């Protein structure tokens, strides 16, 4: 088994290295690719030093079985044929192919079987905010069909990659030291602030991030569910949070929902208000699962539920989800 990471020097690329090692992924050789700027950098994997190769239109992927790509949508589109032409499965973390009809969009806990129909040898990894939401929605949807979802997201600086996290740290330090604030990764200063814009605005005044949650959720869940989102960038280093209200066809008691969360794959219920137990990003960065709490009846809708969920955006929201897709495909004999 020969695996490649494309975009190895980025935040998600670095997380790929950690996740593959943590999970003892069954590979015999790992090859790292990056831009001309990254080429020549070295990273350690399982005690071995690996050097980043420059991504080029050549036959470097001839013997690659799986390519985990996280180098941006433009790079994914440009190099997709180069990566897949010899049979490699490309598991892509960008938005390049997510809504293409002939590319499955997969969250293994929700729709792993969609991997079995990948005619272009491309599997798309969903948007991070969508991933954690659908993992939490699935156990509820299995009880009663979810008709609509309202969600407000509280997205960490890690959503903008390593540069976003560095900018928040630098701004916080500058505030403490009384120095000038520099802004480049986000629309405004993020430290001591909230920014109600993630990605650019579309014609309907929702951002692209918010529309991803609408469109991707329907594709992943094979559902007509309607999702109305407000995505907010918050001054947190890592792990996204979401406040979710949903309406089901039939009423679901909070206790019934809690039991479904307890049994769900990839979900951990942290819900004990009396003891102030609920998920928080400060304590859950680096964890694999989607953590759910504050489960309660929606006071505005008799068929409504409200809950709060937190998950690590770089891990489950990106690298881990892609590796789980690869693990499923190996288990099912889709990659040999």
């Amino acid at each position: 088994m020969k695996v490649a990471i494309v975009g190895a020097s980025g935040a998600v690329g670095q997380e790929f290295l950690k996740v593959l090692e943590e999970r003892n992924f069954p590979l015999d050789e790992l090859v790292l690719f990056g831009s001309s700027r990254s080429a020549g950098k070295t990273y350690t994997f399982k005690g071995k030093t690996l050097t980043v190769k420059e991504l080029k239109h050549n036959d470097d992927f001839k013997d690659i079985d799986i390519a985990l790509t996280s180098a941006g949508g433009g790079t994914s589109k440009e190099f997709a044929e180069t990566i897949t032409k010899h049979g490699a499965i490309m598991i892509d973390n960008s938005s390049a192919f997510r809504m293409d009809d002939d590319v499955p969009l997969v969250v293994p806990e929700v729709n792993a079987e969609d991997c079995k129909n990948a005619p272009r040898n491309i599997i798309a990894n969903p948007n991070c905010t969508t991933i954690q939401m659908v993992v939490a929605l699935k156990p509820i949807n299995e009880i009663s069909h979810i008709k609509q979802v309202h969600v407000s997201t509280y997205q960490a600086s890690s959503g903008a990659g390593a540069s976003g996290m560095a900018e928040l740290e630098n701004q916080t330090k500058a505030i403490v030291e009384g120095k000038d604030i520099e802004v480049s990764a986000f629309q405004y200063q993020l430290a001591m602030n909230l920014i109600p814009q993630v990605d650019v605005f579309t014609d309907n005044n929702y951002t692209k991030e918010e529309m991803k949650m609408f469109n991707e959720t329907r594709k992943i869940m094979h559902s007509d569910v309607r999702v109305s989102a407000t995505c907010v960038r918050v001054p947190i280093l890592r792990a996204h949070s979401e406040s979710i209200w949903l309406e089901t066809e039939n009423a679901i008691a909070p206790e019934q929902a809690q039991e479904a969360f307890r049994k769900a794959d990839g979900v951990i219920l942290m819900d004990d208000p009396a003891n102030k137990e609920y998920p928080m990003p400060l304590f859950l960065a680096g964890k694999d699962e989607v953590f759910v709490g504050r489960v309660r009846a929606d006071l505005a809708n008799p068929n409504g539920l409200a809950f709060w969920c937190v998950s690590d955006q770089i891990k489950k929201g990106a690298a881990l989800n892609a590796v789980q897709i690869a693990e499923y495909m190996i288990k099912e004999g889709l990659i040999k």
Side-chain angles (χ1 to χ4, degrees), residues 288-304:
D288 289 356
E289 299 85 2
V290 174
F291 293 80
V292 172
R294 298 294 319 278
V295 181
R296 59 206 188 277
D298 185 344
L299 299 179
N301 188 329
N303 284 11

Side-chain angles (χ1 to χ4, degrees), residues 10 25 37 82 89 104 120 144 147 162 201 227 242 244 253 258 284 287 291 309 314-315 326 333:
F25 189 86
R37 294 192 315 274
T82 296
I89 298 294
R120 291 165 61 184
S144 179
K147 296 169 64 177
F201 286 100
V227 178
E242 297 177 357
I244 296 172
Q258 288 169 324
L284 299 177
K287 302 292 186 182
F291 293 80
C309 77
I314 300 177
K315 200 165 196 184

Side-chain angles (χ1 to χ4, degrees), residues 166-237:
E167 181 160 307
L168 176 59
E169 289 179 320
N170 291 337
Q171 288 178 355
T172 304
K173 185 178 179 182
I175 289 171
V176 171
E177 295 176 351
K179 296 180 180 178
D180 291 339
I181 303 291
E182 293 186 9
V183 176
S184 61
F186 305 106
Q187 299 88 351
Y188 294 94
Q189 172 187 321
L190 183 58
M192 310 293 285
N193 192 25
L194 302 176
I195 304 172
Q197 178 186 352
V198 180
D199 214 324
V200 298
F201 286 100
T202 65
D203 291 342
N204 64 3
N205 287 331
Y206 283 82
T207 64
K208 284 178 68 177
E209 184 86 353
E210 292 158 356
M211 292 311 301
K212 288 173 188 176
M213 296 190 77
F214 179 92
N215 293 314
E216 292 180 16
T217 300
R218 292 162 75 95
K219 182 174 179 179
I220 295 163
M221 297 183 70
H222 302 285
S223 172
D224 60 357
V225 62
R226 301 184 303 278
V227 178
S228 184
T230 300
C231 294
V232 183
R233 187 74 69 189
V234 299
I236 297 293
L237 271 181

Side-chain angles (χ1 to χ4, degrees), residues 236-241 278-287 310:
I236 297 293
L237 271 181
R238 185 164 165 162
H240 289 354
S241 305
Y278 32 70
M280 288 180 282
L282 177 63
F283 306 111
L284 299 177
K287 302 292 186 182
V310 175

Side-chain angles (χ1 to χ4, degrees), residues 23 39 109 157 170 316 324:
R23 297 175 75 84
E109 295 90 341
S157 60
N170 291 337
K316 178 54 184 169
Q324 287 174 312

Side-chain angles (χ1 to χ4, degrees), residues 17-35:
L17 284 168
K18 294 177 187 174
V19 171
L20 290 170
E21 186 159 348
E22 276 178 12
R23 297 175 75 84
N24 197 26
F25 189 86
L27 60 84
D28 299 297
E29 185 177 352
L30 182 63
V31 187
L32 308 183
F33 292 93
S35 66

